[in-house]
Amino acid sequence: MRDITLKQIAETLGISITTVSKALKNYPDVSDKTRKAVLDLAQSLSYTPNSFAVNLRTKESRTIGLIIPEVVHHFFSSVINGIIDEAEKNGYLVIILQSNESLELEQKQVELLMNKRVDGIIMSLSNESNDDEHIKDIIRKEVPFVMFDKISKLIPCSKVIINDQKAAYNAVEHLILKGCKKIAHIRGPVNPQNAIDRFLGYKKALEKYDIPFDSKLVYTCKNVTFEEGKAFAEQIAKEHPDVDGIFVITDLVAVGVLAHFNEVSINVPEQVKVIGFSNWFMSQVITPKLSTVDQPSFEMGVQSFGLLLEEMNARKEMKGFVPRTIELDTAIVARESTL
Amino acid sequence: MRDITLKQIAETLGISITTVSKALKNYPDVSDKTRKAVLDLAQSLSYTPNSFAVNLRTKESRTIGLIIPEVVHHFFSSVINGIIDEAEKNGYLVIILQSNESLELEQKQVELLMNKRVDGIIMSLSNESNDDEHIKDIIRKEVPFVMFDKISKLIPCSKVIINDQKAAYNAVEHLILKGCKKIAHIRGPVNPQNAIDRFLGYKKALEKYDIPFDSKLVYTCKNVTFEEGKAFAEQIAKEHPDVDGIFVITDLVAVGVLAHFNEVSINVPEQVKVIGFSNWFMSQVITPKLSTVDQPSFEMGVQSFGLLLEEMNARKEMKGFVPRTIELDTAIVARESTL
DNA sequence: TTGTAGGCGTTATCAG
DNA sequence: CTGATAACGCCTACAA
């Protein structure tokens, strides 16, 4: 059974393609009789417009691209969730690609999406990338573009972020208010803006409460894994047994920290308090329950698509578009690990 | 800067569109000189073919659709991972939709993807669906189609599955060999084939080891959540305090079970042993570490795309295609919860 | 070796 | 109210 086309409907009805097209799109200048005939036939043949042809004609595909570091990750999959949902509501589909934290892959994928002529791109940078050429290329080609979470401050595009610095500040302050005097920080990789900001927040909180900053208490993740958390916890316990608080870049790593302390029977929160970041679902399930910073991931997805839609619509109507940045609120979630 | 087209290249070079097209596609019947000129210009203008036009011409989009119950789920996100990776390697992009376990949404999404004219569809059924019309429609329209994990046995299409019944049998046998005499089962919803199969495996193992089957020991999840796990654990402890083993449909729920037992200080594995299903990353991180059945999720994704590719290629070459089913191996992962 | 012409299916313009 | 005609950008017989 071949696909139904306007032509076929036109021929069976003995009218022109033009008229069929108009009838289907509810143009006013078609007689009711004709319209009805067309609509009925189209219905019974279950006609659907050939989207390839429509794409070519209208120059839009009602499809957007999403590039994230990795799909298997609570935070990112929640964002995906928000984006897909919101996109679907607005008649858009979402192509997802993952950079696996590799700049090279990310570049290729941006190219893929542009060649595919998606209507817009949403992206969270890999740890290796920044305001690189491939990103600038998106701007140059005027493809609607939104960054979230791991962004590049230098790129002029819409962004959805949290105030990482403030959130980190609050997390460390929370440790301090709980009585911690010597606080270590397991930070994210050197490159990503949010790792930098969280580090700055950490520093600022120490400063504020007159705790001397000691760069030896800062441990830098390379891959941001559970295993790294375990390893750093071990290292911290050895190198600085008097550390009584740890602020960890993200929950997954923090859970690694807890796992190590469990293994060697270092009591959390008695001997050392731990706070993570991003409120991973699992954090409330482990023992002890992990205190953390709640990050509205689903909402980030929704807002990201919203901003993209704004830009796509503005461009369609040839209106100017000024990028906007939306900053979402975070909140400390105090649980057992900082009791 | 408008998009570069063949026409523009042809005009600047003062030759015909045809020749440009041929040169770019390395047809033999173009003089080296012309070809070089074209290639150089195309390069310097960074020409890329308009995929909308190519789609229309070739009637394929090099895009596939993927429908899964939910993205935020370790198992599914791992499968996505496998599919995206494999697809990208083969020059395909992946549009992802989630049914949220709703039949109605799923139907809409199948329609969306067909209207979009994706080259193929990969899908794991929602808990509400079966061999419904929207699925049959995919077959009728001869759209290449692969189901994985939650499949419908009645639909003639390629499938990637595990032997749920056998895997469940092994899990329950594991409990029995560890000394359990009274084993409860927290099963999945009534509808999905894999929940049924796992239940059957549970029954078969009991039978094999002469343990009487008691339907009161079977608890049926509705939403398959952490919370349900907690609630059922509580119920089991109350209704059947002598239960000494529980086989749980999936790790997430099993973790809920452990959480409740932790709270009320029922010792796992001393008083009751627990085994889950699917080897969620978190299972090795909680206390006690959860025994489970390892399910090769990433591999399922890879194989699913592989089968889809086979079918897409076969159809393109107008060759017949016989659906295949790939059954992947599972393995018991014994950890602390069944020591 | 190069170019002409027609078509993929839809939409938009403009004339009847 | 209806329809002929021309795009959209690419591909490919077939002709020159």
Side-chain angles (χ1 to χ4, degrees):
Chain A
M1 186 174 84
R2 232 170 68 260
D3 285 324
I4 312 300
T5 66
L6 291 183
K7 195 172 165 188
Q8 288 168 53
I9 297 185
E11 277 168 7
T12 16
L13 255 50
I15 58 178
S16 78
I17 296 179
T18 311
T19 308
V20 176
S21 173
K22 282 180 180 163
L24 286 170
K25 309 204 86 196
N26 271 320
Y27 270 56
D29 57 350
V30 178
S31 76
D32 283 354
K33 208 179 95 201
T34 314
R35 186 196 326 283
K36 191 174 177 332
V38 171
L39 255 38
D40 285 353
L41 185 56
Q43 173 92 51
S44 75
L45 295 177
S46 63
Y47 163 83
T48 57
N50 179 318
S51 69
F52 296 158
V54 176
N55 289 166
L56 180 60
R57 236 356 279 238
T58 62
K59 297 183 181 313
E60 55 170 26
S61 56
R62 296 236 134 211
T63 304
I64 66 163
L66 170 61
I67 302 178
I68 50 168
E70 35 177 349
V71 173
V72 187
H73 190 297
H74 179 75
F75 172 70
F76 287 121
S77 59
S78 299
V79 179
I80 294 180
N81 194 352
I83 293 178
I84 294 186
D85 274 21
E86 194 66 12
E88 199 181 336
K89 272 186 208 147
N90 289 279
Y92 282 82
L93 294 175
V94 185
I95 289 173
I96 299 179
L97 287 165
Q98 42 184 353
S99 61
N100 285 318
E101 301 287 8
S102 142
L103 172 58
E104 198 192 330
L105 260 181
E106 194 182 275
Q107 286 166 332
K108 225 175 256 165
Q109 290 166 343
V110 167
E111 212 185 310
L112 276 178
L113 290 178
M114 309 256 268
N115 289 348
K116 184 89 195 169
R117 281 172 163 69
V118 291
D119 297 345
I121 296 178
I122 298 178
M123 177 159 176
S124 179
L125 290 179
S126 85
N127 284 338
E128 293 182 347
S129 23
N130 233 308
D131 55 324
D132 301 285
E133 281 311 311
H134 64 299
I135 307 292
K136 290 185 184 146
D137 227 43
I138 303 177
I139 306 291
R140 264 197 293 271
K141 299 235 173 91
E142 303 193 332
V143 175
F145 182 48
V146 173
M147 293 175 105
F148 71 90
D149 193 50
K150 296 203 281 184
I151 63 160
S152 164
K153 289 198 169 152
L154 298 174
I155 300 288
C157 69
S158 286
K159 290 160 195 155
V160 179
I161 49 171
I162 55 169
N163 189 328
D164 280 287
Q165 193 168 325
K166 193 173 126 216
Y169 177 95
N170 291 338
V172 176
E173 182 177 51
H174 174 77
L175 290 175
I176 295 170
L177 297 178
K178 289 293 180 177
C180 297
K181 304 277 184 228
K182 184 159 183 179
I183 300 174
H185 176 33
I186 300 181
R187 59 162 289 169
V190 197
N191 203 18
Q193 188 63 50
N194 62 359
I196 296 171
D197 284 337
R198 289 179 203 176
F199 167 69
L200 292 176
Y202 159 77
K203 249 178 117 170
K204 207 175 247 178
L206 296 185
E207 201 172 301
K208 170 81 175 183
Y209 286 89
D210 294 322
I211 299 179
F213 167 72
D214 177 357
S215 65
K216 292 207 197 69
L217 293 179
V218 177
Y219 296 79
T220 305
C221 284
K222 242 188 118 177
N223 305 310
V224 197
T225 59
F226 175 79
E227 285 73 23
E228 272 182 317
K230 283 180 82 163
F232 281 136
E234 186 174 1
Q235 209 178 326
I236 291 173
K238 282 216 182 89
E239 297 175 359
H240 305 282
D242 54 338
V243 158
D244 56 5
I246 308 180
F247 165 49
V248 189
I249 181 77
T250 190
D251 282 4
L252 175 62
V253 179
V255 168
V257 170
L258 294 184
H260 173 74
F261 288 158
N262 265 341
E263 275 171 21
V264 299
S265 299
I266 290 178
N267 186 300
V268 178
E270 298 289 310
Q271 291 170 264
V272 53
K273 303 190 198 305
V274 178
I275 188 164
F277 205 109
S278 80
N279 198 15
W280 184 22
F281 164 78
M282 272 315 293
S283 309
Q284 59 190 298
V285 165
I286 51 166
T287 317
K289 295 189 177 107
L290 180 68
S291 297
T292 187
V293 177
D294 183 62
Q295 198 180 2
S297 42
F298 183 87
E299 186 63 17
M300 278 190 116
V302 172
Q303 296 295 343
S304 297
F305 182 82
L307 284 181
L308 191 69
L309 186 61
E310 267 184 28
E311 185 171 351
M312 293 189 297
N313 287 337
R315 288 219 192 280
K316 235 190 300 189
E317 295 161 22
M318 304 292 272
K319 281 196 289 203
F321 177 75
V322 183
R324 288 204 296 138
T325 294
I326 294 181
E327 189 177 298
L328 297 176
D329 285 336
T330 57
I332 297 290
V333 182
R335 299 205 185 96
E336 296 165 2
S337 71
T338 57
L339 262 192
Chain B
M1 186 173 82
R2 232 169 68 260
D3 285 325
I4 312 300
T5 66
L6 291 184
K7 195 172 165 189
Q8 288 169 53
I9 297 186
E11 276 168 7
T12 17
L13 255 50
I15 58 180
S16 78
I17 296 180
T18 311
T19 307
V20 176
S21 173
K22 283 178 180 164
L24 286 171
K25 309 202 86 196
N26 271 321
Y27 271 54
D29 58 348
V30 177
S31 75
D32 283 353
K33 208 180 96 201
T34 314
R35 185 197 324 286
K36 189 170 177 338
V38 171
L39 255 38
D40 285 353
L41 185 56
Q43 173 90 49
S44 75
L45 295 177
S46 63
Y47 164 83
T48 57
N50 180 318
S51 69
F52 297 159
V54 175
N55 290 167
L56 179 60
R57 248 336 295 239
T58 61
K59 295 180 183 313
E60 54 169 27
S61 56
R62 295 237 134 211
T63 304
I64 66 163
L66 170 61
I67 302 178
I68 50 169
E70 36 176 349
V71 173
V72 187
H73 190 297
H74 180 75
F75 172 70
F76 287 121
S77 58
S78 299
V79 179
I80 294 180
N81 195 350
I83 293 178
I84 294 187
D85 274 22
E86 194 66 12
E88 199 181 337
K89 274 186 207 148
N90 289 277
Y92 282 82
L93 293 175
V94 185
I95 289 174
I96 299 178
L97 287 165
Q98 42 184 353
S99 61
N100 285 318
E101 301 285 9
S102 143
L103 172 58
E104 198 192 330
L105 260 182
E106 194 182 275
Q107 287 166 331
K108 224 175 257 166
Q109 291 166 342
V110 167
E111 213 184 310
L112 275 179
L113 290 178
M114 309 255 268
N115 289 349
K116 185 89 196 169
R117 284 173 161 70
V118 291
D119 297 345
I121 296 178
I122 298 178
M123 179 158 173
S124 179
L125 290 179
S126 86
N127 285 338
E128 292 183 348
S129 25
N130 233 307
D131 54 324
D132 301 286
E133 281 311 311
H134 64 299
I135 306 292
K136 291 187 184 146
D137 228 43
I138 303 177
I139 306 291
R140 265 198 292 272
K141 299 236 172 92
E142 303 194 331
V143 175
F145 182 49
V146 173
M147 292 174 110
F148 71 90
D149 192 49
K150 297 204 281 184
I151 62 160
S152 164
K153 290 199 170 153
L154 298 174
I155 300 288
C157 69
S158 286
K159 289 159 195 154
V160 179
I161 49 171
I162 56 169
N163 189 328
D164 279 288
Q165 194 168 324
K166 194 173 126 217
Y169 176 94
N170 291 339
V172 176
E173 183 178 50
H174 173 77
L175 289 175
I176 295 170
L177 297 178
K178 290 291 181 177
C180 297
K181 304 279 183 227
K182 184 160 183 180
I183 300 174
H185 175 34
I186 300 182
R187 60 162 288 169
V190 198
N191 202 19
Q193 189 63 51
N194 62 358
I196 296 170
D197 285 337
R198 289 178 202 177
F199 168 69
L200 292 176
Y202 159 77
K203 251 178 115 170
K204 206 175 247 177
L206 296 185
E207 202 172 300
K208 170 81 177 185
Y209 287 88
D210 294 323
I211 299 179
F213 168 73
D214 178 357
S215 67
K216 291 205 200 71
L217 293 180
V218 177
Y219 296 78
T220 305
C221 283
K222 242 187 117 178
N223 304 312
V224 197
T225 59
F226 174 78
E227 284 74 22
E228 272 182 316
K230 282 181 84 163
F232 281 137
E234 185 172 3
Q235 210 176 325
I236 290 173
K238 282 216 181 90
E239 296 175 359
H240 305 281
D242 54 339
V243 158
D244 57 4
I246 308 179
F247 166 49
V248 190
I249 181 76
T250 191
D251 282 4
L252 175 61
V253 179
V255 168
V257 170
L258 295 183
H260 174 74
F261 288 158
N262 265 342
E263 277 171 19
V264 299
S265 299
I266 290 178
N267 186 298
V268 178
E270 298 289 310
Q271 293 169 263
V272 52
K273 302 187 198 307
V274 178
I275 188 164
F277 205 109
S278 78
N279 198 16
W280 183 21
F281 164 78
M282 272 314 292
S283 309
Q284 60 189 300
V285 165
I286 51 165
T287 316
K289 295 188 177 110
L290 179 67
S291 297
T292 188
V293 178
D294 182 63
Q295 198 179 1
S297 43
F298 183 87
E299 186 62 17
M300 278 192 117
V302 172
Q303 296 293 343
S304 296
F305 182 82
L307 284 181
L308 191 69
L309 186 61
E310 268 183 28
E311 185 170 351
M312 292 190 296
N313 287 337
R315 289 220 191 280
K316 236 190 298 187
E317 296 161 22
M318 305 292 270
K319 281 195 289 205
F321 176 75
V322 183
R324 289 203 295 139
T325 294
I326 293 181
E327 189 176 299
L328 296 176
D329 286 336
T330 57
I332 298 291
V333 182
R335 299 205 186 98
E336 296 166 1
S337 71
T338 57
L339 262 191

